Amino acid sequence: MAGVVVGSSNARIGIQAAIDILRDGGNALDAAVAAIKLIEDSLEDNSVGTGGIPNLIGQVELDASIMHGKNLASGAVGAVKQYPNPIEIARKVMDVTPHVMLAGEGAELFAKHHGFKPAELLTDDAREMWRKRIEEGGPSQQRIEEDRYELFNQAVADWAKMLHKEIYGTTNVIVRDDSGDIVTAVSTSGWGFKWPGRLGDSPIIGAGNYADNRFGGAACTGRGEMAIRSATAHSVIMYMRHGKSLGDAVHEAMQDLSHLQDPYAERSNTMNIVAMDRNGNVTAASTSESATYVVQTTDMDAYEERTRTHVPLT
Ligand code: ASP
């Protein structure tokens, strides 16, 4: 089977770079990182990397993870500020430490130590979105500055309710190279206007990301809290391991989410999964009717955008 890349719709920004690497005989790991890096650097997308929507106090905080299906090696970073390419830092965590996940200041120190260059991630557009949001009903900036932690007791639960329909977004790719290695990579600025330090599923292996060459790979976008509670990416792989087809495995993992009680889960695209089986067949599903994903093989001149299977949570 030719090399193949599948990912969330915004992965169109980086998919060709991954395909070019595969065509040149490169491996799935390099291809996945190259694709995600381009999306992180793109200002077209404000759910990932530079230009990402900031947290409650106006800081862009990034999460990313990567997993290698050959040996289940994994790396992740969470709540990283000032470093534009968390996917590269996640890969470094995987490559040179005995750990899987580093967060916050420790992750930033690690990035600095390994020569990653800090940068301003908050663009004027994202700052403006944040400013408007704060003015339209969030706690005032003065209140945030004076009384950051007290806010939790009073405002945040209501505020989270108000924000649960807000944009959030993420990017992910699953890459399979000629040798059959499958790598899954995810990057995000998380839930827009999130509580500082809030982590979603994207940096959590098993929740937003899982790869195992023997069975396939899966990655999620959507309400990370739900994917964490159901270990959604891992569930897809487990269902395949126990004999389900790719499509059935994804469907079953989506249906698991309907057992979760979640007062905030009213958005239509609560969950989206992209998945690949060990042979490089791909599929994707969403709780939204119109969500899409992208796919390209090394035989194809351009990516194809396809509609995800609609799986409403009943
Ligand atoms: N899953 C991401 C998170 O919860 C956000 C998203 O994919 O929309 O941080």
Side-chain angles (χ1 to χ4, degrees):
M1 170 112 189
V4 52
V5 183
V6 63
S8 51
S9 60
N10 53 4
R12 70 184 180 280
I13 296 166
I15 198 166
Q16 187 64 50
I19 288 292
D20 290 346
I21 288 174
L22 295 180
R23 277 193 192 133
D24 287 349
N27 62 49
L29 186 58
D30 289 340
V33 171
I36 296 286
K37 195 169 177 248
L38 280 175
I39 307 157
E40 290 174 338
D41 289 342
S42 166
L43 300 185
E44 208 186 292
D45 190 291
N46 47 26
S47 64
V48 183
T50 310
I53 297 180
N55 65 14
L56 171 65
I57 55 175
Q59 303 164 328
V60 181
E61 268 185 358
L62 304 177
D63 310 329
S65 67
I66 190 150
M67 183 162 191
H68 203 305
K70 183 160 79 180
N71 52 5
L72 311 192
S74 311
V77 289
V80 170
K81 295 194 279 285
Q82 291 180 326
Y83 285 90
N85 297 113
I87 196 66
E88 290 188 312
I89 310 172
R91 179 183 182 167
K92 200 67 164 178
V93 171
M94 176 175 84
D95 286 346
V96 306
T97 80
H99 309 308
V100 167
M101 177 154 47
L102 296 177
E105 280 178 20
E108 290 153 14
L109 185 64
F110 175 83
K112 184 174 177 202
H113 179 73
H114 286 281
F116 291 97
K117 297 276 171 277
E120 177 57 76
L121 307 181
L122 186 63
T123 57
D124 291 346
D125 281 355
R127 184 185 288 107
E128 189 51 24
M129 286 167 84
W130 174 73
R131 198 189 55 73
K132 273 202 188 130
R133 202 44 169 129
I134 295 291
E135 279 171 7
E136 274 170 20
S140 71
Q141 188 163 355
Q142 187 192 353
R143 183 123 163 58
I144 290 169
E145 275 156 17
E146 278 172 2
D147 210 6
R148 226 177 252 202
Y149 295 104
E150 263 304 297
L151 277 173
F152 195 77
N153 297 329
Q154 303 166 22
V156 165
D158 287 348
W159 201 45
K161 250 182 205 158
M162 184 178 86
L163 290 178
H164 73 273
K165 291 184 192 136
E166 287 287 334
I167 30 171
Y168 32 99
T170 293
T171 193
N172 54 41
V173 292
I174 308 172
V175 181
R176 184 181 185 278
D177 61 28
D178 283 345
S179 64
D181 280 340
I182 295 174
V183 170
T184 308
V186 185
S187 185
T188 190
S189 53
W191 189 338
F193 321 109
K194 65 193 174 186
W195 188 259
R198 175 267 182 190
L199 298 177
D201 58 326
S202 307
I204 298 182
I205 300 300
N209 177 343
Y210 206 79
D212 184 331
N213 282 1
R214 296 172 300 168
F215 312 107
C220 305
T221 57
R223 252 182 64 65
E225 283 74 3
M226 297 185 83
I228 294 171
R229 291 163 70 195
S230 275
T232 301
H234 186 254
S235 295
V236 173
I237 306 307
M238 280 304 275
Y239 284 127
M240 287 198 279
R241 178 177 192 152
H242 290 286
K244 285 200 188 294
S245 68
L246 177 66
D248 286 352
V250 168
H251 191 269
E252 198 72 28
M254 288 289 256
Q255 281 304 328
D256 285 345
L257 300 167
S258 48
H259 301 292
L260 302 177
Q261 289 194 347
D262 189 340
Y264 304 121
E266 285 170 24
R267 318 162 68 234
S268 61
N269 78 339
T270 299
M271 188 54 59
N272 312 281
I273 303 174
V274 292
M276 181 187 286
D277 70 14
R278 61 193 290 266
N279 298 315
N281 300 302
V282 301
T283 193
S286 175
T287 51
S288 157
E289 274 181 62
S290 51
T292 60
Y293 68 108
V294 293
V295 60
Q296 189 171 352
T297 67
T298 46
D299 295 337
M300 293 163 65
D301 290 337
Y303 70 82
E304 214 174 270
E305 183 155 10
R306 299 182 185 163
T307 305
R308 294 174 188 249
T309 306
H310 180 214
V311 184
L313 298 186
T314 49

